[in-house]
Amino acid sequence: MDTTEKRKVILSGMQPTGGLHIGHLTGALRNWVELQDEYECYYTIVDLHAITVRQEPAKLRRWTLDLAATFLAVGIDPERSHIFVQSHVPEHTQLAWVLNCFTGMGECSRMTQFKDKSQKFPENVNVGLFAYPVLMAADILLYQADLVPVGADQKQHLELTRNLAQRFNHLYSETFKVPEPYIPKIGAKIMNLQDPTKKMSKSDENQSGVLFLVDDDAQTINKIKRAVTDSGNEILFREDKPGISNLITLYHIATGKTIQQIEADFAGKGYGEFKKAVAESVVEFLRPFKERYKEIRANEDYLRNVLIQGAEQARQVASRTLQKVYKKVGFVQL
Ligand code: ATP
Ligand code: LTN
């Protein structure tokens, strides 16, 4: 490969709205780590997005640093990728304002996440929540991202981002790269252990169904042992057995064994024995991550330095795009 060729750009973001769980690790972060080999990666902690629902300041601060430590602990390498906090790069809000003026009210009100969250928090349906996807578009377009790894729930936001980029490019001239969604090759959806029809979610009130990455071993084991299972007693991966299927997925992730192999290994064995095996394997799977996390989280100077460096690098790219935009819309350049 020609080494002067520019690598394609990846950007993704995660909200610092709670402790991370095993679903984040397997569904998102493991892919983020792999993508570093091939792409120029920007990974941002989107605190501006987080305040679209009410947050306690002390918790938001803690979760932001927790998330930075998690990125590092899973293997995102600050020497190769750019890890930064969204509010440290003011260009995000600046571009979002311009894009707001090119977004229709109808476009935002059609977004499923807006409809869901305004139902969930009827006492706080704010303008920020409404404009959430426009800020997300700014996150992506500032870095001229080629690809955006997102879960299925964010695809609608990415479609809006593409529309805004095309609209602006068409009205003025070529300014933004039109990004594509990146749907990861690996990454099963992990369900809540107490309600296996619902995805495991960090802001879930029922924490006993969520395997947080910072839970201690005893908590992990207990949560798995108390997981809701289905009627019957066979260890089979089947649609009508969501509880056992979810545990099989976890075991598959933790051990690398195939579903068929797991079903065969546990044929004729009971739920109790299976749960014990799942619990032990998940604890082992998480052990190296937890050790690294503890070490990194304890070194706040190091964490802050990574974020300072990440924000500086991000600003260099973001300010270039913003300047182009400001010039095109007709703002006076001094
Ligand atoms: P919230 O509770 O605040 O909505 P969440 O836990 O659902 O948060 P997000 O911040 O929306 O998580 O997700 C960040 C990333 O992690 C997304 O790419 C999403 O696809 C992935 N992810 C989240 N939950 C799971 C899960 N249970 N299984 C697999 N991947 C998941
Ligand atoms: N909305 C996303 C988080 C997010 C994001 C982004 C993802 C904010 N900005 C830019 C990809 C690219 C979520 O809730 N998962």
Side-chain angles (χ1 to χ4, degrees), residues 221-267:
I221 292 169
N222 269 331
K223 284 178 179 178
I224 294 174
K225 288 198 172 161
R226 285 206 222 107
V228 168
T229 42
D230 321 288
S231 56
N233 54 8
E234 293 160 300
I235 317 296
L236 292 173
F237 192 91
R238 270 199 340 230
E239 216 166 292
D240 63 338
K241 293 173 84 72
I244 285 297
S245 298
N246 192 33
L247 292 176
I248 292 179
T249 303
L250 284 172
Y251 193 64
H252 156 69
I253 287 166
T255 61
K257 289 187 182 172
T258 65
I259 308 284
Q260 288 83 347
Q261 211 179 336
I262 298 168
E263 287 179 343
D265 287 354
F266 286 91

Coordinates of all heavy atoms in Angstrom, one line a residue, residues 221-267:
I221 N -21.0 -13.0 39.5 CA -21.5 -14.3 39.6 C -22.9 -14.4 40.1 O -23.8 -15.1 39.6 CB -20.5 -15.1 40.6 CG1 -19.2 -15.3 40.0 CG2 -21.1 -16.4 41.1 CD1 -18.1 -15.7 40.9
N222 N -23.2 -13.5 41.1 CA -24.6 -13.5 41.6 C -25.6 -13.1 40.6 O -26.7 -13.7 40.5 CB -24.7 -12.5 42.8 CG -24.4 -13.2 44.1 OD1 -24.7 -14.4 44.2 ND2 -23.9 -12.5 45.0
K223 N -25.3 -12.1 39.8 CA -26.2 -11.6 38.8 C -26.5 -12.7 37.8 O -27.6 -12.9 37.3 CB -25.7 -10.4 38.1 CG -25.8 -9.1 38.9 CD -25.2 -7.9 38.2 CE -25.4 -6.7 39.1 NZ -24.8 -5.5 38.4
I224 N -25.5 -13.5 37.4 CA -25.7 -14.5 36.4 C -26.5 -15.7 37.0 O -27.4 -16.2 36.4 CB -24.3 -15.0 35.8 CG1 -23.7 -13.9 35.0 CG2 -24.5 -16.3 35.0 CD1 -22.3 -14.1 34.5
K225 N -26.1 -16.0 38.3 CA -26.9 -17.1 38.9 C -28.3 -16.8 39.1 O -29.2 -17.7 39.1 CB -26.2 -17.5 40.3 CG -24.9 -18.2 40.0 CD -24.4 -18.9 41.2 CE -23.2 -19.8 40.9 NZ -22.4 -20.2 42.1
R226 N -28.6 -15.5 39.3 CA -30.0 -15.1 39.5 C -30.8 -14.7 38.2 O -31.9 -14.3 38.2 CB -30.1 -13.9 40.5 CG -29.9 -14.3 41.9 CD -30.5 -13.4 42.9 NE -29.6 -13.2 44.0 CZ -28.9 -12.1 44.2 NH1 -29.1 -11.0 43.4 NH2 -28.1 -11.9 45.2
A227 N -30.1 -14.9 37.1 CA -30.7 -14.6 35.8 C -32.0 -15.3 35.6 O -32.1 -16.5 36.0 CB -29.7 -14.9 34.7
V228 N -33.0 -14.6 35.0 CA -34.2 -15.2 34.7 C -34.1 -16.3 33.6 O -33.4 -16.0 32.6 CB -35.3 -14.1 34.3 CG1 -36.5 -14.7 33.7 CG2 -35.6 -13.2 35.4
T229 N -34.6 -17.5 33.9 CA -34.5 -18.5 32.8 C -35.9 -18.8 32.3 O -36.9 -18.3 32.8 CB -33.7 -19.7 33.3 OG1 -34.2 -20.0 34.6 CG2 -32.2 -19.5 33.3
D230 N -35.9 -19.7 31.4 CA -37.2 -20.1 30.8 C -37.7 -21.4 31.4 O -37.0 -22.1 32.0 CB -37.0 -20.2 29.3 CG -36.0 -19.2 28.8 OD1 -36.4 -18.0 28.7 OD2 -34.8 -19.5 28.5
S231 N -39.0 -21.7 31.0 CA -39.5 -22.9 31.5 C -38.8 -24.1 30.8 O -38.1 -23.8 29.8 CB -41.0 -23.0 31.2 OG -41.3 -22.8 29.9
G232 N -38.9 -25.3 31.3 CA -38.2 -26.4 30.7 C -36.8 -26.5 31.4 O -36.5 -25.7 32.3
N233 N -35.9 -27.4 30.9 CA -34.6 -27.5 31.5 C -33.5 -27.7 30.5 O -32.4 -28.2 30.9 CB -34.6 -28.6 32.6 CG -35.2 -29.9 32.0 OD1 -35.3 -30.0 30.8 ND2 -35.4 -30.9 32.9
E234 N -33.8 -27.5 29.2 CA -32.7 -27.7 28.2 C -31.9 -26.5 27.9 O -32.5 -25.4 27.8 CB -33.4 -28.3 26.9 CG -34.0 -29.6 27.1 CD -35.0 -29.8 26.0 OE1 -36.0 -29.0 25.9 OE2 -34.8 -30.8 25.2
I235 N -30.6 -26.7 27.7 CA -29.7 -25.6 27.3 C -29.7 -25.6 25.8 O -28.9 -26.2 25.1 CB -28.3 -25.9 27.8 CG1 -28.3 -26.5 29.2 CG2 -27.4 -24.7 27.6 CD1 -28.8 -25.5 30.3
L236 N -30.7 -24.8 25.2 CA -30.8 -24.7 23.8 C -30.9 -23.2 23.4 O -31.6 -22.4 24.1 CB -32.0 -25.4 23.3 CG -32.0 -26.9 23.4 CD1 -33.3 -27.6 23.0 CD2 -30.9 -27.5 22.5
F237 N -30.3 -22.8 22.3 CA -30.4 -21.5 21.7 C -31.7 -21.4 20.8 O -31.6 -21.8 19.7 CB -29.2 -21.2 20.9 CG -29.0 -19.7 20.6 CD1 -28.3 -18.8 21.4 CD2 -29.6 -19.2 19.4 CE1 -28.2 -17.5 21.1 CE2 -29.4 -17.8 19.1 CZ -28.7 -17.0 20.0
R238 N -32.8 -20.9 21.4 CA -34.0 -20.9 20.7 C -34.8 -19.6 21.0 O -34.7 -19.1 22.1 CB -34.9 -22.1 21.0 CG -34.6 -23.3 20.2 CD -35.7 -24.3 20.2 NE -36.6 -24.2 21.4 CZ -36.9 -25.3 22.2 NH1 -36.5 -26.5 21.9 NH2 -37.8 -25.1 23.2
E239 N -35.6 -19.2 20.0 CA -36.3 -17.9 20.2 C -37.3 -18.0 21.4 O -37.5 -17.0 22.1 CB -37.2 -17.7 18.9 CG -37.3 -16.2 18.6 CD -37.8 -16.1 17.1 OE1 -37.1 -16.4 16.2 OE2 -38.9 -15.6 17.0
D240 N -37.9 -19.1 21.7 CA -38.8 -19.2 22.8 C -38.0 -19.5 24.1 O -38.7 -19.7 25.1 CB -39.8 -20.4 22.6 CG -39.2 -21.7 22.5 OD1 -38.0 -21.8 22.2 OD2 -39.9 -22.7 22.7
K241 N -36.7 -19.4 24.1 CA -35.9 -19.5 25.3 C -35.0 -18.3 25.4 O -33.7 -18.4 25.3 CB -35.1 -20.8 25.3 CG -36.0 -22.1 25.4 CD -35.2 -23.3 25.3 CE -34.5 -23.8 26.5 NZ -35.4 -24.4 27.5
P242 N -35.5 -17.1 25.5 CA -34.7 -15.9 25.5 C -33.7 -15.8 26.7 O -32.5 -15.3 26.5 CB -35.6 -14.7 25.6 CG -36.9 -15.3 26.2 CD -36.9 -16.7 25.7
G243 N -34.0 -16.3 27.8 CA -33.1 -16.3 29.0 C -31.9 -17.1 28.8 O -30.8 -16.7 28.9
I244 N -32.2 -18.4 28.4 CA -31.1 -19.3 28.2 C -30.2 -18.9 27.0 O -29.0 -19.0 27.0 CB -31.6 -20.8 28.1 CG1 -32.0 -21.3 29.5 CG2 -30.6 -21.7 27.4 CD1 -30.9 -21.4 30.5
S245 N -30.9 -18.5 25.9 CA -30.2 -18.0 24.7 C -29.2 -16.9 25.1 O -28.1 -16.9 24.6 CB -31.2 -17.6 23.6 OG -32.0 -18.7 23.3
N246 N -29.7 -16.0 25.9 CA -28.8 -14.9 26.3 C -27.6 -15.4 27.1 O -26.4 -14.9 26.8 CB -29.6 -13.9 27.2 CG -28.9 -12.6 27.4 OD1 -28.2 -12.1 26.5 ND2 -29.1 -12.0 28.6
L247 N -27.8 -16.4 27.9 CA -26.7 -16.9 28.7 C -25.7 -17.7 27.7 O -24.5 -17.7 27.9 CB -27.2 -17.8 29.8 CG -27.9 -17.1 31.0 CD1 -28.4 -18.2 32.0 CD2 -27.0 -16.1 31.7
I248 N -26.3 -18.4 26.8 CA -25.5 -19.1 25.8 C -24.6 -18.0 25.0 O -23.4 -18.2 24.8 CB -26.3 -19.9 24.8 CG1 -27.0 -21.1 25.5 CG2 -25.5 -20.4 23.6 CD1 -27.9 -22.0 24.7
T249 N -25.2 -16.9 24.7 CA -24.4 -15.9 24.0 C -23.3 -15.4 24.8 O -22.1 -15.3 24.4 CB -25.4 -14.6 23.6 OG1 -26.4 -15.1 22.9 CG2 -24.6 -13.6 22.9
L250 N -23.5 -15.2 26.1 CA -22.5 -14.7 27.0 C -21.4 -15.8 27.1 O -20.2 -15.4 27.1 CB -23.1 -14.5 28.4 CG -23.8 -13.2 28.6 CD1 -24.5 -13.1 30.0 CD2 -22.9 -11.9 28.5
Y251 N -21.8 -17.0 27.2 CA -20.8 -18.1 27.3 C -20.0 -18.2 26.0 O -18.8 -18.4 26.1 CB -21.5 -19.4 27.6 CG -20.6 -20.6 28.0 CD1 -19.9 -20.5 29.2 CD2 -20.5 -21.7 27.3 CE1 -19.1 -21.5 29.7 CE2 -19.7 -22.8 27.7 CZ -19.0 -22.7 28.9 OH -18.2 -23.7 29.3
H252 N -20.6 -18.0 24.9 CA -20.0 -18.0 23.6 C -18.9 -16.9 23.5 O -17.8 -17.1 23.1 CB -21.0 -17.9 22.5 CG -20.5 -17.3 21.2 ND1 -19.7 -18.0 20.4 CD2 -20.7 -16.1 20.6 CE1 -19.4 -17.3 19.3 NE2 -20.0 -16.1 19.4
I253 N -19.3 -15.7 24.0 CA -18.4 -14.6 24.0 C -17.2 -14.9 24.9 O -16.0 -14.6 24.5 CB -19.1 -13.3 24.4 CG1 -20.0 -12.9 23.2 CG2 -18.1 -12.2 24.8 CD1 -21.0 -11.8 23.6
A254 N -17.5 -15.4 26.1 CA -16.4 -15.6 27.1 C -15.5 -16.7 26.7 O -14.3 -16.6 27.1 CB -17.1 -15.8 28.4
T255 N -16.0 -17.7 26.1 CA -15.1 -18.9 25.8 C -14.7 -19.1 24.4 O -13.8 -19.8 24.1 CB -15.9 -20.2 26.2 OG1 -17.0 -20.3 25.4 CG2 -16.3 -20.2 27.7
G256 N -15.4 -18.4 23.5 CA -15.1 -18.6 22.0 C -15.8 -19.9 21.5 O -15.6 -20.1 20.3
K257 N -16.4 -20.7 22.3 CA -17.0 -21.9 21.8 C -18.3 -21.5 20.9 O -18.9 -20.5 21.2 CB -17.5 -22.8 22.9 CG -16.4 -23.4 23.7 CD -16.9 -24.4 24.7 CE -15.8 -25.0 25.5 NZ -16.3 -25.8 26.6
T258 N -18.5 -22.4 19.9 CA -19.7 -22.1 19.1 C -21.0 -22.5 19.8 O -20.9 -23.3 20.8 CB -19.7 -22.9 17.8 OG1 -19.8 -24.3 18.1 CG2 -18.4 -22.7 17.0
I259 N -22.1 -22.0 19.4 CA -23.4 -22.3 20.0 C -23.7 -23.8 20.0 O -24.1 -24.4 21.0 CB -24.5 -21.5 19.2 CG1 -24.2 -20.0 19.0 CG2 -25.9 -21.8 19.8 CD1 -24.4 -19.2 20.2
Q260 N -23.4 -24.4 18.8 CA -23.6 -25.9 18.7 C -22.8 -26.6 19.7 O -23.3 -27.6 20.4 CB -23.2 -26.4 17.3 CG -24.2 -25.9 16.2 CD -23.8 -24.5 15.7 OE1 -23.1 -23.8 16.3 NE2 -24.4 -24.1 14.5
Q261 N -21.5 -26.2 19.8 CA -20.7 -26.9 20.8 C -21.2 -26.7 22.2 O -21.2 -27.7 23.0 CB -19.3 -26.2 20.7 CG -18.1 -27.1 20.9 CD -16.8 -26.2 20.7 OE1 -16.8 -25.2 20.0 NE2 -15.8 -26.6 21.4
I262 N -21.7 -25.5 22.5 CA -22.2 -25.3 23.9 C -23.4 -26.2 24.1 O -23.5 -26.8 25.2 CB -22.5 -23.8 24.1 CG1 -21.2 -22.9 23.9 CG2 -23.1 -23.5 25.4 CD1 -21.5 -21.5 23.7
E263 N -24.3 -26.2 23.1 CA -25.5 -27.0 23.3 C -25.2 -28.5 23.5 O -25.7 -29.1 24.4 CB -26.4 -26.9 22.1 CG -27.1 -25.5 22.0 CD -28.0 -25.4 20.7 OE1 -27.8 -26.2 19.8 OE2 -28.8 -24.5 20.7
A264 N -24.2 -28.9 22.8 CA -23.8 -30.4 22.9 C -23.1 -30.6 24.2 O -23.4 -31.6 24.9 CB -22.8 -30.7 21.8
D265 N -22.2 -29.7 24.7 CA -21.5 -29.8 25.9 C -22.5 -29.9 27.1 O -22.2 -30.6 28.1 CB -20.6 -28.7 26.2 CG -19.3 -28.8 25.3 OD1 -19.2 -29.8 24.6 OD2 -18.5 -27.8 25.3
F266 N -23.6 -29.2 27.0 CA -24.5 -29.1 28.2 C -25.8 -29.9 28.0 O -26.8 -29.8 28.7 CB -24.8 -27.7 28.5 CG -23.7 -27.0 29.2 CD1 -22.8 -26.3 28.4 CD2 -23.5 -27.1 30.5 CE1 -21.7 -25.7 29.0 CE2 -22.4 -26.5 31.1 CZ -21.5 -25.8 30.4
A267 N -25.8 -30.8 27.0 CA -27.0 -31.6 26.7 C -27.2 -32.5 28.0 O -26.2 -33.1 28.5 CB -26.8 -32.5 25.5

